[in-house]
Amino acid sequence: MPFDWMKIPYALLTLFIVFNFGMLLNALIQKIGARVGRRYGVPIWQNYADLIKNYGLRSSITHGVMYYLGPVFRLTGGVGLLLFVPTIYGSEMFSNLSFAGDLILALYFVFFGTLGMALGAGESGHPNAAIGITRGLSQVTAAELPFALAVFSVALQYQTFSITDIVAVQQAGFTSWTLFTNPLAVAAAMLSFLGSMMRPPFDVVLAPQEIPIGPPTEYHSSYLALMQTNRAIFPIAKIVLYMSLFFGGAASWPVFFLKVFAIYMVSVLVGVAFPRFRVEQSIRWFLIWAVPLGVLSIVLV
Amino acid sequence: MKVELESRIVEGPEVVGVEPALDLQGKALPAVQPGAYSRTVTLMPRAELERRMVKGPDGVEFEVEPLRDYYCEAGPTVMPAAYLKIVEDLFNWARSRSIWILGFGTGCGAIEMRPLMTPRFDAYRFGIQWRPTPRQANLFVISGYLSVKTLKRAIRCYEQMQNPKYVVGLGSCTINGGMYWDSYNTIKRLDDYLPVDVYIAGCMPRPEALLQGFEDLKKLIRAGKAEGANQYAERFDWYKANQKQIIHDWDMPDYNW
Amino acid sequence: MRELYARLKERCALGELTQQRPNLGFVTLPREQLRQALTHLRDSEGYTHLVLLTAVDWLEDGQFQLTYLLSHRTQGRDFGLRVLIPRMDAEMDSIHDLWPTAATYQRELREMFGIQFPGSPGVNDDFILEGWTGMPPYRRDFDTKRFSEENYNHRPGRETRDPTTYMKQQLYPGGL
């Protein structure tokens, strides 16, 4: 297959749109959370100010190579996930680098950033970071399990590992979405989604009041800014994956924005309504409620 | 830095030439005998800072002197602003719009910061938020009186913050000692020990006053005048001398970044 | 409270009972009998909680008064035992084996008043005053104002007003 060089600027354009959308969406979500608490909330461009400030800090300290690579891996996870999933179905410009076996790769990228973070935070030498990453990895692993089961269920259902093909089957109309054809898998995946969006009730790993903010304890300046960039890209990339697998994908940008916002809101609504779980509670919750759903969905397919 | 391990006799209070202490009725109290309270004080550095032998994972034993080997001895340096003025202006705008406060309540004034998070005052709308680690914070609010013990921790935290960093002294105690002006254990001038950008007077200042103080700090940052970190680096020796004058058990490196 | 005093008096040489409230009383006793009284109160009378251990500096008498305040949790009663010890080379027996929390109080008293408690765990560690080498600051002959002026930099321009006269001037400028 000849490589189409035009894909690179297209991919960068996707990245640019998704990054800005993510920055604004994150601020909007923060604002919604604040309004629930009867606060006015942050300005919509607050994340840009934070990002520029962190890039603009004059000094930074490194603790070693892995410490530096941690945020880089994390960003790679986000960007990679985004680029290997067709952002807009049927568009030559925004299908990016998706190919036949991309579902497996996407699963890997979902986990990649956390692993990179584990190495980086471990090298920072701060005990809180090490404790935080242990808690984070246990929780993310428990949360990823139902998602992986759901993905295999979907792959079995459509007999393919190509996300583009999966989206193509769902284009016939509402009723052909995986949401309706395989509701159990979607349910398992959505429970896992709550766990991996780093919002309450499963954000105990990153919550500022907990073991001071866990893995990123030692991260600052540009390192933190890289992670903030990823915070804008990664949730969107993850939602794009969900949207493609379960909710019929998006054929144009307006539909994309709408669907991403709606899926994000699921975790927000749950988050503002429920208090935080402790790590062992959330692991137990995933294993008791989400994993059986995933297993059941595979069995039924 | 060398930790002195010594044992010395500490004399009681000096009584020569001092007026006899008076009790509440104005009666002279019995004079204190010189050396009456003498006691032997052994200045022991903390155990983890002592020189010791460590066995590495490969089985080789080597000697470690923690203060020298685990910490870097380099002092702070003056960090220049961005080369282009327009870039520095952009950075200053972002810094003023994104003030991250270190969540370290050093005194009673910290209680006045809590209301700022509540719906009534909601400092988040001004881009102010609290961070739990000094690495990510830009603003250190010295909230009220600072005892010598806390000052030591405050210095460590301040030095771990990254370069454009600001200090706000909250309450009268940071300015001239406030109601603790004759205390045996609190400092009276914060700016002798850390470079302060803004003082907020009051005992305690109300949350509105705090917000006003933060607005003033923002104006300083926007104008590029809040260069406390560079000032600290320039006059490092002076600040260190002041700090060491009152912190007697200095068992940490000179610069704890 | 009276009955308790009577029962305790059979065992120890007690001073007079000072009853502050119906449920709060203090009694003074000699140093040698403190441990016996504390043990009896804790094990037989139900005063199981050591509320505080503090000291008062009676400079004129040359004595320190140590107060051991015990609490009866179910009856809601407090009983204080007072012991007077000489101020010079003050030393007291540790009671950390009766209440482990006492070790912390004794550490504080050692630092703030200079009362030695031999055998108490960690009693010579710094508590609040790190690296303090001078006279313990809670002793009444310690001049805290002078110490502060000598040790901490002062910012000039501070005014001190007597609240009574100042408020009179503010409220009634023409005089009363």
Side-chain angles (χ1 to χ4, degrees), chain A residues 146 150 179 182-193 246 290 293-294:
Chain A
L179 176 62
N182 192 352
L184 280 178
V186 178
M190 285 315 282
L191 294 185
S192 145
F193 176 71
F246 308 124
L293 273 179

Side-chain angles (χ1 to χ4, degrees), chain A residues 60-144:
Chain A
S60 61
I61 295 154
T62 180
H63 291 279
V65 177
M66 269 327 290
Y67 177 78
Y68 171 74
L69 285 179
V72 176
F73 278 9
R74 199 148 174 83
L75 189 61
T76 314
V79 173
L81 180 59
L82 182 71
L83 290 188
F84 283 105
V85 175
T87 314
I88 303 293
Y89 168 73
S91 153
E92 176 65 26
M93 275 175 81
F94 301 111
S95 286
N96 298 330
L97 309 172
S98 56
F99 62 98
D102 48 8
L103 193 47
I104 304 281
L105 193 64
L107 266 185
Y108 177 65
F109 270 125
V110 170
F111 215 78
F112 186 69
T114 322
L115 286 176
M117 225 18 242
L119 294 170
E123 180 147 333
S124 78
H126 200 290
N128 285 348
I131 297 171
I133 201 66
T134 318
R135 288 149 53 100
L137 271 181
S138 346
Q139 181 172 323
V140 168
T141 312
E144 285 303 322

Side-chain angles (χ1 to χ4, degrees), chain C residues 94-141:
Chain C
S94 169
I95 57 156
H96 66 272
D97 48 338
L98 298 180
W99 283 278
T101 44
T104 309
Y105 288 116
Q106 289 166 359
R107 196 173 145 202
E108 186 188 13
L109 290 179
R110 203 280 303 159
E111 184 167 278
M112 290 304 193
F113 288 93
I115 305 171
Q116 302 292 334
F117 290 89
S120 181
V123 72
N124 285 319
D125 294 353
D126 286 339
F127 190 56
I128 296 169
L129 313 169
E130 292 180 335
W132 186 279
T133 49
M135 184 187 204
Y138 277 10
R139 294 195 171 207
R140 272 178 55 213
D141 43 1

Side-chain angles (χ1 to χ4, degrees), chain C residues 7-169:
Chain C
R7 281 202 297 281
L8 207 56
K9 188 145 192 175
E10 293 168 10
R11 299 166 170 272
C12 322
L14 295 186
E16 214 165 294
L17 174 71
T18 320
Q19 195 149 4
Q20 304 271 10
R21 287 199 309 263
N23 59 357
L24 175 65
F26 289 95
V27 72
T28 311
L29 76 170
R31 173 182 170 175
E32 297 75 37
Q33 296 188 332
L34 173 77
R35 171 170 288 269
Q36 188 195 351
L38 284 174
T39 318
H40 175 70
L41 282 170
R42 185 186 71 163
D43 297 338
S44 309
E45 301 287 351
Y47 284 81
T48 52
H49 177 207
L50 176 71
V51 181
L52 56 86
L53 162 56
T54 186
V56 181
D57 184 1
W58 296 106
L59 181 58
E60 296 84 349
D61 306 338
Q63 281 181 319
F64 279 127
Q65 172 197 305
L66 290 173
T67 304
Y68 297 77
L69 189 63
L70 307 181
S71 172
H72 194 303
R73 301 307 297 265
T74 48
Q75 290 177 6
R77 288 177 174 193
D78 294 332
F79 194 66
L81 298 178
R82 288 170 176 163
V83 176
L84 289 166
I85 56 173
R87 213 162 162 279
M88 292 285 170
D89 301 321
E91 191 185 293
M92 185 62 199
D93 312 318
S94 169
I95 57 156
H96 66 272
D97 48 338
L98 298 180
W99 283 278
T101 44
T104 309
Y105 288 116
Q106 289 166 359
R107 196 173 145 202
E108 186 188 13
L109 290 179
R110 203 280 303 159
E111 184 167 278
M112 290 304 193
F113 288 93
I115 305 171
Q116 302 292 334
F117 290 89
S120 181
V123 72
N124 285 319
D125 294 353
D126 286 339
F127 190 56
I128 296 169
L129 313 169
E130 292 180 335
W132 186 279
T133 49
M135 184 187 204
Y138 277 10
R139 294 195 171 207
R140 272 178 55 213
D141 43 1
F142 174 80
D143 190 344
T144 167
K145 181 160 175 280
R146 191 174 134 223
F147 182 87
S148 170
E149 278 161 3
E150 283 170 4
N151 284 279
Y152 305 121
N153 300 346
H154 185 70
R155 191 189 300 276
R158 183 189 170 96
E159 274 181 58
T160 308
R161 298 190 183 91
D162 175 43
T164 324
T165 49
Y166 181 70
M167 285 315 287
K168 258 184 194 162
Q169 280 167 6

Side-chain angles (χ1 to χ4, degrees), chain A residues 224-244:
Chain A
L224 188 65
L226 270 183
M227 288 164 65
Q228 281 179 308
T229 316
N230 182 56
R231 283 282 271 186
I233 295 175
F234 187 70
I236 309 294
K238 201 162 160 59
I239 292 174
V240 172
L241 182 61
Y242 273 78
M243 185 177 69
S244 308

